[in-house]
Amino acid sequence: MARPRTTPARLVLLVLALLLAVTGYLGVGAGRQFLADRAFTPIRVPAPTAAPPGVASLLSSASGPPAAAAARPDAPAPTPAGVAAALADELTDPELGPSVAGQVFDAGTGTLLFDQRSAEQVAPASTAKLLTAAAVLAVRQPTDRFSTRVVAGDQPGVVVLVGGGDPTLSAAGPGKPTRYAEAARITDLAARVRASLAGARVDQVLVDDSAFTGPATAPGWGTEDTPSAYASLITATMVDAGRDAPDDEIRSAEPDLAAGNALAAALGGAAVSRGSAPAGAKVLGQIRSAPVSVLVEQMMRASDNVIAEVLARQVAIATSRPASFEGAAAAVSATLASAGIKIGDGMVDGSGLSVLDRIPAAALSATLLAAVNGKQSRLRPLLSGLSIAGWDGTLLDEHRFSGPAAIAAGSVRAKTGTLTGVSGMAGLLTDADGRLLVFSFVADQAPAAFDSSSRGAVDNLVAALVRCGCR
């Protein structure tokens, strides 16, 4: 019997059905970040075995302003006219849309070489993580760690897991690699609890999440954003940056209970629910997070929204504000203002995921200049967390810095940012003469921000600076 042929109409219906299925799975929020910031598909990059050409000095140097490539302090200085000429053609690329805000500075002298709409409020997308990184490094030492405790409950057999805002606490089993480097382990915490209890049975684990307050999602986050591969509810107690298990790509709908379940499993099994630690309860065990410097680098390189939101709340706690989205945003703004970096009151979260976030693009340049300045050496993890073009993090994507822009590979360190209608990048680069420049660009009316052509247009802007001496 002959097999029925598929008619063109049926083909059209089949394609439409597949498109609807994919849209339903990814959601609008996934569309907002998707692969542009490697947020929808989390990065798992092997540790480099050797530095790419031109960045060895940055990766190994312990002092002095880090460069994207081997910058020379005696290199000829670019001029505003030269920079403007280098950028002129690329700024007209229709893939950027009609509105581009940005700045370029000579990192060595602080001279402003280019400015366009930099004082206007724009959506920063994930470049906002630069601001969160600078704020947390301003109020915390790079060596600081955050504690997670287990205390005795008010009844025999009850213990309370008290979260302290460690985003990378891991549920990985003994001997298994953690998803995030240097992460504390629930199994180690459980071992200390067992030792304290001297064999007494644990029947119930309560999870105390009171270190954070307010809503668990920010204004401007869509319902599809949590849970997703790039975001979870923000709680003070979580494992593996808001996942149910270390290898999960989609994050947890109940990250606090996921942490409680991990502890209960490590203790041999127990019921898990939410609760509060009794006042003055005996501490049965305590572990500490990776250092702040490591958390900042992980947040930056993988553009991890959950780590960013937890670190923003740590800024709020350090400055005696409520550890909520509102309190964290106010804390980051006030902390940066005290350092001369004005972002205003337009941020509503710490990651840039919200479609409501607004800052002046000049704040991104000012943050990077402060980090490059030798007097702000505690901000160094912000720079070492920047991705290297063509080498790691969010600039490793095969479509980034390709074609004519490939000349910039290894010469640019930057943080990307992408939302619907927004494509941006801010960081450091070394020009053709060996001069270190600081740049920030945000195209806030990009017609197709998630297309490789739109991201490529931003890459081309940056590559134009790498290519020229701009004199």
Side-chain angles (χ1 to χ4, degrees):
M1 180 176 177
R3 298 170 66 183
R5 297 178 62 186
T6 302
T7 65
R10 286 178 178 171
L11 283 172
V12 170
L13 289 173
L14 178 61
V15 170
L16 288 174
L18 287 172
L19 287 173
L20 287 171
V22 170
T23 302
Y25 174 72
L26 295 180
V28 177
R32 286 214 301 261
Q33 286 210 335
F34 198 46
L35 293 178
D37 274 343
R38 290 293 184 100
F40 184 77
T41 303
I43 308 167
R44 291 195 178 219
V45 183
T49 55
V55 300
S57 60
L58 170 65
L59 299 178
S60 61
S61 175
S63 61
R72 295 188 297 108
D74 61 343
T79 66
V83 170
L87 295 176
D89 288 343
E90 303 301 343
L91 285 168
T92 63
D93 190 327
E95 294 292 342
L96 293 174
S99 175
V100 180
Q103 287 185 315
V104 179
F105 283 87
D106 183 324
T109 64
T111 301
L112 177 63
L113 300 171
F114 173 82
D115 188 284
Q116 180 169 294
R117 295 184 57 232
S118 68
E120 296 181 25
Q121 298 285 317
V122 295
S126 280
T127 61
K129 293 180 176 70
L130 287 165
L131 310 177
T132 296
V136 74
L137 289 167
V139 299
R140 299 283 191 179
Q141 292 296 327
T143 54
D144 284 354
R145 300 169 186 260
F146 309 118
S147 296
T148 303
R149 299 178 293 131
V150 173
V151 302
D154 56 7
Q155 298 291 330
V158 178
V159 299
V160 185
L161 175 62
V162 183
D166 174 3
T168 65
L169 174 64
S170 183
K176 294 184 179 180
T178 56
R179 188 180 186 102
Y180 297 91
E182 300 186 45
R185 293 176 184 264
I186 278 282
T187 52
D188 291 339
L189 181 57
R192 295 174 188 183
V193 172
R194 285 196 301 269
S196 294
L197 293 175
R201 180 182 174 84
V202 175
D203 298 310
Q204 185 175 24
V205 173
L206 300 179
V207 181
D208 185 336
D209 204 52
S210 59
F212 290 175
T213 62
T217 61
W221 287 18
T223 55
E224 69 285 344
D225 288 331
T226 56
S228 66
Y230 55 86
S232 72
L233 302 180
I234 304 304
T235 55
T237 316
M238 61 174 60
V239 286
D240 303 295
R243 294 175 172 86
D244 287 318
D247 290 332
D248 288 352
E249 297 304 338
I250 301 300
R251 310 212 189 195
S252 176
E254 298 179 310
D256 54 340
L257 294 184
N261 288 330
L263 177 63
L267 290 173
V272 178
S273 59
R274 296 181 177 94
S276 299
K282 177 184 177 181
V283 176
L284 302 176
Q286 180 170 285
I287 50 176
R288 298 197 303 158
S289 71
V292 164
S293 60
V294 172
L295 296 175
V296 166
E297 290 182 356
Q298 291 168 342
M299 170 192 70
M300 295 283 289
R301 193 163 288 117
S303 197
D304 195 299
N305 295 313
V306 173
I307 297 178
E309 297 302 344
V310 173
L311 289 180
R313 278 165 169 72
Q314 294 292 358
V315 180
I317 292 170
T319 57
S320 301
R321 289 178 171 84
S324 61
F325 278 103
E326 183 178 1
V332 169
S333 179
T335 298
L336 294 180
S338 66
I341 301 169
K342 297 180 180 180
I343 70 171
D345 58 1
M347 288 297 294
V348 301
D349 65 12
S351 63
L353 177 59
S354 174
V355 297
L356 302 179
D357 287 330
R358 295 292 185 273
I359 63 161
L364 302 174
S365 306
T367 299
L368 288 162
L369 285 169
V372 170
N373 188 324
K375 297 179 181 178
Q376 299 289 336
S377 60
R378 67 188 298 163
L379 298 185
R380 189 174 184 81
L382 180 155
L383 298 175
S384 56
L386 295 172
S387 297
I388 304 172
W391 182 250
D392 67 0
T394 59
L395 293 183
L396 183 63
D397 189 293
E398 61 181 329
H399 298 298
R400 301 235 61 153
F401 289 100
S402 58
I407 191 173
S411 294
V412 176
R413 293 188 73 104
K415 180 71 198 76
T416 56
T418 310
L419 290 173
T420 297
V422 182
S423 186
M425 189 186 301
L428 313 175
L429 63 84
T430 306
D431 72 10
D433 286 334
R435 196 78 176 187
L436 183 65
L437 307 181
V438 167
F439 68 90
S440 62
F441 295 112
V442 178
D444 62 349
Q445 295 182 35
F450 298 102
D451 290 351
S452 59
S453 56
S454 181
R455 300 196 298 276
V458 175
D459 296 347
N460 290 339
L461 269 178
V462 176
L465 294 173
V466 172
R467 190 178 293 112
C468 85
C470 298
R471 284 176 277 156

